[in-house]
Amino acid sequence: MQTVATTDSADTVDLGPASGLSCRECGERFALGPIFACEACFGPLEVAYDLPSGDAEELRKRIESGPENIWRYAPLLPVPADVASKPNLNPGFTKLVQADNLARELGVTGGLWVKDDSGNPTHSFKDRVVAQAIEAARAFGFTTLSCSSTGNLAGAVGAAAARAGFRSCVFIPHDLEQGKVVMAAVYGGELVGIEGNYDDVNRFCSELIGDPAGEGWGFVNVNLRPYYAEGSKTLAYEICEQLGWRLPDQIVIPIASGSQLTKIDKGLQELIKLGLVEDRPYKIFGAQAEGCSPVSVAFKAGHDVVRPQKPDTIAKSLAIGNPADGPYVLDICRRTGGAVEDVTDEEIVEAIKLLARTEGIFTETAGGTTLGVAKKLIEAGVIDPALTTVVVNTGDGLKTLDAVAPTTGMSAVIRPNLDSFREAGLV
Amino acid sequence: MQTVATTDSADTVDLGPASGLSCRECGERFALGPIFACEACFGPLEVAYDLPSGDAEELRKRIESGPENIWRYAPLLPVPADVASKPNLNPGFTKLVQADNLARELGVTGGLWVKDDSGNPTHSFKDRVVAQAIEAARAFGFTTLSCSSTGNLAGAVGAAAARAGFRSCVFIPHDLEQGKVVMAAVYGGELVGIEGNYDDVNRFCSELIGDPAGEGWGFVNVNLRPYYAEGSKTLAYEICEQLGWRLPDQIVIPIASGSQLTKIDKGLQELIKLGLVEDRPYKIFGAQAEGCSPVSVAFKAGHDVVRPQKPDTIAKSLAIGNPADGPYVLDICRRTGGAVEDVTDEEIVEAIKLLARTEGIFTETAGGTTLGVAKKLIEAGVIDPALTTVVVNTGDGLKTLDAVAPTTGMSAVIRPNLDSFREAGLV
């Protein structure tokens, strides 16, 4: 059944190649609009496209001559063709770092790369997804941007809204650490603390969407979620382009809601369909913290269903106990021959230090989780060290200093003279 | 008198177009080596070049087809031609953000840009200078990288050394804030606290250079300083290339030691000489914090000599009370028709928030100082709002959260219901 429901704005919406929304469960189609759940079966909606047909070589050249940010892929994203001329933070095209020192340490011989998204404007991959949501918000005539957040997303929304000329009003649990509050509040939008936990914040936002007080508001991770989520596809595009338009053999991705992993897979599939990369097998691996490992537990048990957990881990940006895209993640990792694994908080901290010490990249706990899982799977022989491997680093260590602070400090304290230095035994 | 002194390593040193060192005071020439002061007059040494001769158009194309980092300018830097193939952090080619919102707020009509160096690998311009020092260290056979630092430089050296395969041993005052210690120590090199202030740290490093314990050590900001400092030229190159190979009319630059400002001027002069940009007047403006304003005070008093101050400002990365390049800064700002100005700590914080609120860029206190001075000079009619202006943002707000924390927080704390939200009066 492929009936099309229309929204008021459907006639005037220009989101480039986006042709509508489709339900991932029942396939029902809907016109482009600020909706996120299927009216028929309540399944999640995702963006459907009329992707460019025609010569792959021409498309590749068009991309390569585009701007050095995600908008080079505008023909594959739910954004108008002139998106690059509008004010936004222009995230993306972050470095794909060839990690030879790390490869040596892990015994990887087939090539190891770190996709380093700490280079984005607010230093996490969130800038990619928020940038898509902004364009959807423009298309639907929203004037206020909002989200529920545990910190990082609040900053990404605040920054992007400021630059793009939107009002922003963002909701966080009231008891966040001061550092995260400052990072989120400095952009000058409204930052509202909710007396409750992240679930309470989420519930409140859902209520606000249906209320006159929330009219004209685009919640990037609620009613704009289908568009927002597409931003993660750009990680797949960039990795392949930066490898010389080639699929990696193996790619390790963190799992919070699971959206990023599913969209990276979607992006890889699109590149194959468009003829931009050669169609050959790749394996996707998902990374969780042991203290929030519902998908990993389900994968290992052979389940299709993800049983929710109460998170308890230092990897707070991955601490979603009931990940919406969990079942899709299981499906992708199984289909591609990959796996889902988890690591302890101690292994996360070790991995953060390993990456810093070998490649000079300081990642946050999510990146430590991803690298920790990569290391564990290499040691277990699940990731093949003779094949090309890409590890996705989604954020910046400056945002989670507390994770490494207890075990990171000075080698010695000395008096300002050579004798004291020699006594310290460092040379 | 242009005699040439040689060092042992002179015959084998390949630092590309760098032909030697010359004294900025007496013009005496020296062979390339790890020296920083003139043997004749104790003046500071700087790198002299045999810059590419020939067709400007050809050079421009060669640059444009180079990598998306500072190594596209390798023909103009003291680095070997194959520098891009060596492991390093590849900083540079950061965004030049067209700041239309900020321009509107400041009444600038001629075009306003922010050169945003928070996009560098360790989120400050220091990555540019350290990258040069690393290549000099390789050329001179050093195996350990070192520096004296108040925090930021220590991290930049630690990260770059890790990636490039050097040992690092870095010196800081022992009482730095824990956050800065973590940022510097996480890369795994030796981090040594010195019981004393930054001057004590500096004195100790000078002692160490002359001692067997410091043999094989390259101190990026001491015995490698002439090479290190050249990294700031890349800011000039990038600004002009990103403006479409055009000089800005006005450029505002922070002053710590003054090295960055003098090297940006040097870079602009080189582009003119090479025919890469049209030769027309530009004005350079220097920015200091009122609590450390020795150059600004000298400028306003019409002095050629800079009287040292004891710093007391939140702009700690600019807090050099006796700036080595102060007299050169005065000369450049006067020669180009620019100025040096300072702002209070309150104005610095206001400027940080202004940039965040208008362009979504969160800068550290140095960037707040620079924008604060730009605003002050625009309001005073010293900077012409009808001409193109570039403001240099050298660092990232995540590193100086304390500066804005006391005045940046939540708009409201509410209970998780609509009534409570309405009572807060935000809509």
Side-chain angles (χ1 to χ4, degrees):
Chain A
M1 196 177 67
Q2 295 277 319
T3 59
V4 174
T6 55
T7 71
D8 289 353
S9 56
D11 291 341
T12 55
V13 169
D14 171 15
L15 288 173
S19 57
L21 297 172
S22 73
C23 175
R24 265 158 84 175
E25 287 301 321
C26 74
E28 180 87 3
R29 297 262 309 194
F30 300 88
L32 295 168
I35 52 174
F36 55 103
C38 177
E39 287 172 13
C41 76
F42 303 106
L45 301 183
E46 72 172 344
V47 177
Y49 295 91
D50 289 328
L51 286 181
S53 57
D55 190 39
E57 201 47 48
E58 203 178 284
L59 177 57
R60 194 189 334 239
K61 278 194 189 134
R62 187 172 152 196
I63 291 170
E64 285 174 350
S65 66
E68 298 286 328
N69 55 53
I70 53 172
W71 305 130
R72 65 202 281 111
Y73 307 108
L76 313 181
L77 295 170
V79 295
D82 65 346
V83 61
S85 68
K86 303 184 181 201
N88 60 60
L89 293 177
N90 299 328
F93 224 63
T94 55
K95 290 183 203 295
L96 182 71
V97 177
Q98 184 157 356
D100 289 345
N101 297 334
L102 179 61
R104 256 191 307 278
E105 191 120 357
L106 297 181
V108 172
T109 55
L112 180 62
W113 285 264
V114 175
K115 179 60 176 170
D116 186 11
D117 250 17
S118 68
N120 274 318
T122 74
H123 306 317
S124 90
F125 91 101
K126 293 286 187 195
D127 293 324
R128 297 178 184 271
V129 287
V130 170
Q132 313 298 317
I134 291 244
E135 296 312 313
R138 284 195 228 267
F140 302 140
F142 291 137
T143 51
T144 298
L145 279 187
S146 186
C147 69
S148 55
S149 169
T150 56
N152 283 343
L153 181 58
V157 167
R163 168 95 177 141
F166 284 81
R167 186 171 176 274
S168 72
C169 183
V170 157
F171 300 93
I172 57 172
H174 73 295
D175 55 357
L176 274 193
E177 308 93 292
Q178 194 199 25
K180 287 205 172 166
V181 172
V182 172
M183 288 182 222
V186 74
Y187 302 101
E190 307 291 356
L191 181 72
V192 178
I194 300 272
E195 288 174 1
N197 60 24
Y198 182 62
D199 286 336
D200 296 316
V201 178
N202 257 330
R203 257 192 304 275
F204 170 75
C205 285
S206 300
E207 233 187 304
L208 188 52
I209 288 176
D211 189 85
E215 212 173 293
W217 288 37
F219 290 78
V220 301
N221 55 349
V222 189
N223 59 354
L224 298 177
R225 188 170 185 85
Y227 310 94
Y228 166 89
E230 295 294 293
S232 292
K233 291 197 308 179
T234 58
L235 277 164
Y237 303 153
E238 291 179 16
I239 288 168
C240 291
E241 181 178 351
Q242 290 171 321
L243 286 174
W245 294 106
R246 195 163 55 91
L247 290 167
D249 295 314
Q250 307 169 118
I251 176 164
V252 194
I253 305 166
I255 302 169
S257 72
S259 169
Q260 182 181 87
L261 188 147
T262 62
K263 296 303 178 182
I264 287 178
D265 180 60
K266 186 180 182 184
L268 297 177
Q269 290 295 323
E270 286 174 351
L271 294 184
I272 292 170
K273 259 180 238 144
L274 290 163
L276 289 171
V277 298
E278 193 192 343
D279 185 6
R280 52 197 203 82
Y282 59 85
K283 294 183 179 183
I284 290 188
F285 300 85
Q288 296 207 295
E290 190 183 80
C292 183
S293 53
V295 188
S296 173
V297 166
F299 181 87
K300 291 175 186 173
H303 295 162
D304 293 332
V305 174
V306 173
R307 184 180 301 179
Q309 290 183 2
K310 195 166 182 290
D312 177 20
T313 170
I314 57 168
K316 292 197 201 306
S317 60
L318 301 182
I320 298 184
N322 188 13
D325 283 3
Y328 304 113
V329 167
L330 289 171
D331 182 52
I332 289 167
C333 292
R334 286 178 179 139
R335 172 170 53 73
T336 63
V340 185
E341 187 51 274
D342 55 83
V343 283
T344 65
D345 284 358
E346 291 69 33
E347 288 170 312
I348 292 168
V349 171
E350 269 171 42
I352 290 174
K353 292 183 182 178
L354 173 64
L355 186 60
R357 166 167 70 73
T358 53
E359 303 297 342
I361 297 171
F362 183 22
T363 182
E364 64 155 339
T365 46
T369 304
T370 313
L371 179 58
V373 162
K375 181 170 183 280
K376 190 170 176 177
L377 292 176
I378 290 164
E379 286 165 359
V382 178
I383 287 180
D384 185 341
L387 298 177
T388 59
T389 303
V390 174
V391 175
V392 176
N393 173 31
T394 47
D396 200 293
L398 293 183
K399 295 189 180 183
T400 59
L401 284 177
D402 289 350
V404 290
T407 58
T408 307
M410 291 186 241
S411 317
V413 175
I414 64 169
R415 292 180 304 283
N417 64 62
L418 291 168
D419 282 344
S420 182
F421 179 59
R422 284 197 201 90
E423 277 162 28
L426 298 170
V427 284
Chain B
M1 196 176 69
Q2 296 278 320
T3 60
V4 173
T6 54
T7 72
D8 288 352
S9 56
D11 291 342
T12 55
V13 169
D14 171 15
L15 287 174
S19 58
L21 297 172
S22 73
C23 175
R24 266 158 84 176
E25 287 302 321
C26 73
E28 180 88 4
R29 296 265 307 196
F30 300 87
L32 294 169
I35 52 173
F36 55 101
C38 176
E39 287 172 15
C41 76
F42 302 107
L45 300 182
E46 73 173 343
V47 177
Y49 295 91
D50 289 328
L51 287 181
S53 57
D55 190 39
E57 201 48 47
E58 203 177 284
L59 177 57
R60 192 186 340 234
K61 279 194 187 133
R62 185 172 153 197
I63 291 170
E64 286 174 350
S65 66
E68 298 285 329
N69 56 52
I70 54 172
W71 304 132
R72 66 202 280 112
Y73 308 108
L76 312 181
L77 294 170
V79 295
D82 65 346
V83 62
S85 69
K86 304 185 180 198
N88 61 60
L89 293 177
N90 298 328
F93 223 61
T94 55
K95 290 184 202 297
L96 182 71
V97 177
Q98 184 158 357
D100 289 346
N101 297 333
L102 179 62
R104 256 191 307 279
E105 191 120 356
L106 297 181
V108 172
T109 55
L112 181 62
W113 284 264
V114 175
K115 178 61 175 171
D116 186 11
D117 249 17
S118 68
N120 274 319
T122 74
H123 306 318
S124 90
F125 91 100
K126 293 284 187 196
D127 293 324
R128 297 177 184 271
V129 286
V130 170
Q132 314 299 317
I134 291 244
E135 295 312 313
R138 284 195 227 267
F140 301 138
F142 290 138
T143 51
T144 298
L145 279 187
S146 186
C147 69
S148 55
S149 169
T150 56
N152 282 342
L153 181 59
V157 168
R163 168 96 178 141
F166 285 81
R167 187 172 176 274
S168 71
C169 184
V170 157
F171 300 93
I172 56 173
H174 74 295
D175 55 357
L176 274 193
E177 309 92 291
Q178 194 197 26
K180 288 205 172 166
V181 172
V182 172
M183 288 181 223
V186 75
Y187 301 102
E190 307 291 355
L191 180 72
V192 178
I194 300 271
E195 288 174 2
N197 59 24
Y198 182 62
D199 286 337
D200 296 316
V201 178
N202 258 330
R203 257 193 306 274
F204 170 75
C205 286
S206 301
E207 232 185 305
L208 188 52
I209 287 176
D211 188 86
E215 212 173 293
W217 290 36
F219 290 78
V220 302
N221 55 349
V222 189
N223 58 354
L224 298 177
R225 188 170 186 85
Y227 311 94
Y228 166 90
E230 295 293 293
S232 292
K233 290 197 308 179
T234 58
L235 277 163
Y237 303 153
E238 291 179 16
I239 288 168
C240 290
E241 180 176 353
Q242 290 170 321
L243 286 175
W245 294 107
R246 195 163 54 90
L247 290 167
D249 296 313
Q250 306 169 119
I251 176 164
V252 193
I253 304 165
I255 302 169
S257 72
S259 168
Q260 183 182 86
L261 188 146
T262 63
K263 296 302 178 182
I264 288 178
D265 181 61
K266 186 180 182 185
L268 297 177
Q269 290 296 323
E270 286 174 352
L271 294 184
I272 292 170
K273 258 180 238 144
L274 290 163
L276 289 170
V277 297
E278 193 192 341
D279 184 6
R280 54 196 201 80
Y282 61 84
K283 294 183 179 182
I284 291 188
F285 300 86
Q288 295 206 296
E290 189 183 80
C292 182
S293 53
V295 189
S296 173
V297 166
F299 181 87
K300 292 176 187 174
H303 294 161
D304 293 332
V305 174
V306 172
R307 185 180 302 178
Q309 290 184 0
K310 194 164 181 289
D312 179 18
T313 169
I314 57 169
K316 292 198 202 305
S317 60
L318 300 182
I320 297 184
N322 188 12
D325 283 4
Y328 303 112
V329 167
L330 289 171
D331 181 53
I332 288 166
C333 292
R334 285 178 180 138
R335 172 170 52 75
T336 64
V340 184
E341 186 51 275
D342 56 84
V343 284
T344 65
D345 284 359
E346 291 70 31
E347 288 170 311
I348 292 169
V349 171
E350 269 171 41
I352 290 174
K353 292 182 180 178
L354 172 65
L355 186 59
R357 163 167 73 74
T358 52
E359 302 297 341
I361 297 170
F362 183 22
T363 181
E364 65 155 339
T365 46
T369 304
T370 313
L371 179 57
V373 162
K375 181 171 183 279
K376 189 170 178 178
L377 292 176
I378 290 163
E379 286 165 358
V382 178
I383 287 180
D384 186 340
L387 299 177
T388 60
T389 303
V390 173
V391 175
V392 176
N393 173 31
T394 48
D396 200 295
L398 293 183
K399 295 190 181 183
T400 59
L401 284 177
D402 290 350
V404 290
T407 58
T408 306
M410 292 186 242
S411 318
V413 175
I414 64 169
R415 291 180 306 284
N417 64 62
L418 291 168
D419 282 346
S420 182
F421 179 57
R422 285 198 199 90
E423 276 163 27
L426 298 171
V427 284

